[in-house]
Amino acid sequence: MAKASELVTLTAAQMADKLKKGDISSRELVEAELQTIDSAEPTLQAFLARSSEEALAVADDIDTRRAKGEELPSLAGVPVAVKDMIVTKGIETTAASKILEGWIPPYDATVVTRMKNTGMPILGKTNLDEFAQGSSTENSAFHNTYNPWDITRVPGGSGGGSATSVASFETPLALGTDTGGSIRQPAAFTGTVGVKPTYGRVSRYGAIAMASSMDQIGPCARTVEDAAMLYDVIAGYDDHDSTSIREILPSMTAAALQGKNQDLKGLRVGIIKEATGDGFEEEVKNNFSEGIKLLQNMGANVEEVSFRHFLHGIQVYYVVMPAEVSSNLARYDGMRYGLRVMPPADVPQTAANMMAYTREAGFGAEVKRRIILGTYALSAGKYEEWYGKAQRVRTVMIQDFNKAFKDFDVLVCPTAPTSAFKIGEVEDPATMYRNDIATIPANLAGLPAISIPSGLDHNNLPVGFQILAAQKNDELMFRVASALETAFNKKWGAPLWAQLKTPWLDSLSEE
Ligand code: GLN
C-alpha cells in the first residue's frame, strides 16, 4: 500500500494512469486526499465545505465499475475540488457570502454534471472572496485562506481556496472562476497552473453570476497537462448557456502532450510592453525574462508589441464589472432564497425594508462598494458618460488584440505585478485592484489565457508567466505553455510545485 503522501503528490495524469493499470484504487486516492485535507486545513483553510462521504461513494462506484472491466474516461476516480462560486446539488454553496449561507442548491452546474459523468469524486467547496470580488481571499465572509508557501501571506484571489488546495496537495485538481484574473493570479501566487478558457467554451450554467460578459469557469492544477485534462472534461457546447460556443473541440490534453516534446520553431511571440514596465516588481520582470529566454531557445521569434489601451483595461473593468455585478446581485433580496432579515419592530414591516435589512446584513463591504458603483454607472444621465464610454474603450481593446494576433501567435506578460503580499498589507481598494492589471484584458476581450510558474523571488515566493492566445485558440495556448513548463522544469531540475515544504504531509499515516 502506498503512503498517503506519495499518492497525493502524484499529478492527476499519473493518478489516472495508476488507476487505469489497477495499481491504486480511487478509494485509496480519495482517502489520502481526505487525510491531507484533515492535516492541512487547520493551517491553510482552503475549504468552506467538505463532501467526503459523497466523494468516497463515487470512488467506490468507479472502483467497482473498473473491476468489472468497464471502459472509463481518463479522469474517472481522480478527485477534484470546486470553488464555492459554482453550484453543487445537495452541497452548501455560499459564494463566501453571508447572504447565501446555508443554501443547498437543487441542481448542479453543467461543469459539475460533466465531472460527475466522468466519475470524478468531489472533495468539497473552496474558499474565495465574497462573490469572487477581490484579489486575496480576504473578502470571504467566513475566513481567510493562507498561502502554503508562506502562511503570513495571501494566496491571491478571488480563487485563493482552489489555488491553495491544489498547491498543498489537498487535491490534484480544482475548478475556479475567472472574471478578471481569479484563476490566474492565485495560480501565480501559489506556484500552480491556472487557465481561463475562451469565453463561451465552458458553460456558465450554474456558475454564480458576477459579471456575465466576462465570467468563465476554468481548471486549476499543478501541471499544464493536468489542467488540459480537466479542461477537456468541462468544456463544450451547452444549451443552458446562451453564450456557449457550438463547435467540436480539439483535445487540449493532446495539445499539452504535443507541447512537451516539441520545439517552438517559428512561433511568433509578442511581449506586451505595457505589462513589463512601471508597477511591475524587478524580480517579477527578471523571472519573466528567464521565460522569454527559454522560448527563444526553443526557436520562437520574440518581439515587443505595444498596446495603447492595455493598462486602461483596469478602468474599463471597474466600470463594466460593477455595472454587471449590481444587476446580477439584485436577485439576493431575501424573497426567494438565502438570508432574510426582518426590520426591527419599530420600523415598518414592508418588503422594501426587509430587502434593505437583508442586503445590509448579508453583503460585505467590497460587494456593497461595487453594487453602489455599478448602480451609479448605469443610472439615467450617467449611463453614457460611464458605461457607454467604457464599452467603447473595450471595443477598441478588442480591435487592438485582433490586430496583434495577425502578427503574433501568442502574447505574453507576467501574470501579476507582484508576488504574494502579506495578509492585511493592502488596505486601499485601488491598490488591490491593480493586482489584475495584466489579467483583466483577456476577460474584456474573451481570450484564453494561462498562468504557469516562472520561478521564485528572494522571499521564496512563486511568480507567474502568462500566455494569451486568440479567441478559440486555447489549443495553441496549451501547447506553448506545456513547452515552456517543460523547459522551466529542465532548468530547475524539478517542477516548482515539488519544491514546496509540506509539514502537513509529514504526519500522514501509512494507508
Ligand atoms: N480580482 C478581480 C476582482 O476583484 C477579479 C475577480 C474575478 O476574476 N472573479 O474583480
Side-chain angles (χ1 to χ4, degrees):
M1 284 285 170
K3 254 189 107 180
S5 59
E6 280 163 20
L7 287 179
V8 299
T9 48
L10 296 171
T11 66
Q14 289 168 332
M15 290 177 184
D17 189 50
K18 286 188 186 297
L19 283 167
K20 194 169 169 205
K21 289 190 185 134
D23 295 348
I24 56 172
S25 69
S26 178
R27 171 167 272 269
E28 267 182 280
L29 207 48
V30 170
E31 280 177 347
E33 298 292 2
L34 294 178
Q35 277 189 37
T36 306
I37 292 172
D38 280 337
S39 171
E41 276 304 277
T43 321
L44 301 178
Q45 299 188 31
F47 282 85
L48 285 175
R50 304 210 217 157
S51 43
S52 315
E53 291 310 312
E54 291 94 325
L56 287 168
V58 171
D60 287 342
D61 176 50
I62 290 299
D63 289 339
T64 312
R65 287 162 59 188
R66 210 183 293 269
K68 283 193 198 137
E70 201 178 307
E71 197 60 53
L72 296 167
S74 327
L75 285 181
V78 177
V80 65
V82 178
K83 186 182 185 183
D84 206 23
M85 191 71 173
I86 299 170
V87 308
T88 40
K89 186 175 178 177
I91 307 172
E92 183 179 359
T93 300
T94 65
S97 179
K98 288 221 158 73
I99 213 154
L100 275 177
E101 197 172 4
W103 182 55
I104 312 280
Y107 71 110
D108 275 324
T110 295
V111 289
V112 172
T113 306
R114 282 173 167 270
M115 296 196 304
K116 284 185 176 171
N117 291 344
T118 301
M120 300 179 73
I122 295 173
L123 298 168
K125 306 299 291 288
T126 57
N127 198 17
L128 64 151
D129 289 294
E130 184 177 4
F131 283 105
Q133 300 176 21
S135 304
S136 67
T137 315
E138 291 167 296
N139 293 340
S140 167
F142 303 115
H143 51 73
N144 285 347
T145 292
Y146 301 87
N147 191 319
W149 290 86
D150 175 352
I151 56 169
T152 67
R153 293 175 189 268
V154 304
S158 64
S162 281
T164 290
S165 67
V166 167
S168 66
F169 306 101
E170 292 178 311
T171 178
L173 296 168
L175 287 185
T177 62
D178 192 311
T179 305
S182 284
I183 292 176
R184 290 163 286 155
Q185 183 256 16
F189 278 19
T190 57
T192 54
V193 173
V195 179
K196 186 200 92 70
T198 290
Y199 184 78
R201 272 274 173 96
V202 177
S203 169
R204 287 180 295 111
Y205 180 72
I208 294 176
M210 176 183 166
S212 313
S213 75
M214 292 175 282
D215 297 342
Q216 248 326 253
I217 295 173
C220 311
R222 290 190 289 269
T223 72
V224 174
E225 182 187 355
D226 287 2
M229 288 175 82
L230 184 54
Y231 182 116
D232 285 337
V233 170
I234 61 173
Y237 176 72
D238 177 21
D239 58 15
H240 289 314
D241 174 355
S242 61
T243 57
S244 182
I245 301 174
R246 199 187 282 267
E247 63 179 354
I248 307 287
L249 294 182
S251 160
M252 301 302 150
T253 310
L257 288 173
Q258 215 186 18
K260 273 190 196 178
N261 311 306
Q262 241 184 13
D263 61 34
L264 298 176
K265 255 191 207 87
L267 183 83
R268 300 165 306 166
V269 177
I271 300 178
I272 300 171
K273 187 167 164 245
E274 286 72 13
T276 49
D278 284 352
F280 286 74
E281 271 175 4
E282 261 338 286
E283 283 192 278
V284 167
K285 290 194 253 186
N286 293 342
N287 269 340
F288 177 72
S289 305
E290 294 296 318
I292 294 297
K293 271 188 221 142
L294 296 177
L295 289 173
Q296 283 169 327
N297 292 346
M298 288 185 282
N301 301 322
V302 187
E303 253 179 72
E304 241 181 25
V305 49
S306 176
F307 285 86
R308 17 178 207 150
H309 294 303
F310 194 85
L311 298 182
H312 296 148
I314 203 141
Q315 282 104 326
V316 173
Y317 177 79
Y318 277 94
V319 174
V320 175
M321 175 273 296
E324 296 186 25
V325 160
S326 73
S327 130
N328 275 327
L329 270 54
R331 73 191 66 172
Y332 305 103
D333 56 7
M335 283 291 179
R336 287 156 292 190
Y337 46 75
L339 183 75
R340 173 179 295 176
V341 178
M342 292 307 290
D346 56 340
V347 173
Q349 304 288 301
T350 61
N353 283 341
M354 182 279 283
M355 287 180 202
Y357 277 87
T358 299
R359 287 165 71 82
E360 163 60 20
F363 288 136
E366 181 62 28
V367 172
K368 284 178 189 154
R369 176 163 26 242
R370 295 187 191 199
I371 291 173
I372 292 168
L373 200 64
T375 308
Y376 177 81
L378 290 178
S379 58
K382 297 284 175 235
Y383 182 91
E384 256 316 300
E385 196 183 327
W386 291 94
Y387 190 76
K389 208 179 268 173
Q391 288 291 24
R392 283 197 291 280
V393 181
R394 183 179 187 179
T395 303
V396 175
M397 284 184 74
I398 295 170
Q399 289 165 348
D400 284 352
F401 273 121
N402 289 344
K403 224 169 83 211
F405 282 116
K406 291 207 173 89
D407 298 327
F408 299 98
D409 302 306
V410 293
L411 299 171
V412 294
C413 65
T415 308
T418 69
S419 58
F421 44 90
K422 294 256 183 197
I423 290 168
E425 182 183 332
V426 178
E427 282 176 347
D428 75 297
T431 309
M432 190 64 92
Y433 297 167
R434 282 190 50 81
N435 265 285
D436 299 301
I437 194 136
T439 46
I440 281 170
N443 299 81
L444 287 168
L447 307 177
I450 186 170
S451 177
I452 68 167
S454 61
L456 298 170
D457 70 4
H458 73 282
N459 285 322
N460 211 37
L461 296 170
V463 171
F465 189 105
Q466 186 180 213
I467 303 167
L468 297 85
Q471 260 187 20
K472 301 204 262 184
N473 213 352
D474 309 43
E475 201 186 349
L476 177 68
M477 171 191 79
F478 271 110
R479 193 156 68 72
V480 176
S482 184
L484 183 57
E485 175 191 53
T486 308
F488 269 126
N489 289 351
K490 241 181 236 155
K491 186 175 148 216
W492 299 328
L496 197 81
W497 54 265
Q499 298 170 36
L500 175 69
K501 293 199 176 55
T502 51
W504 53 88
L505 290 184
D506 299 341
S507 54
L508 293 192
S509 61
E510 302 267 336
E511 284 275 290

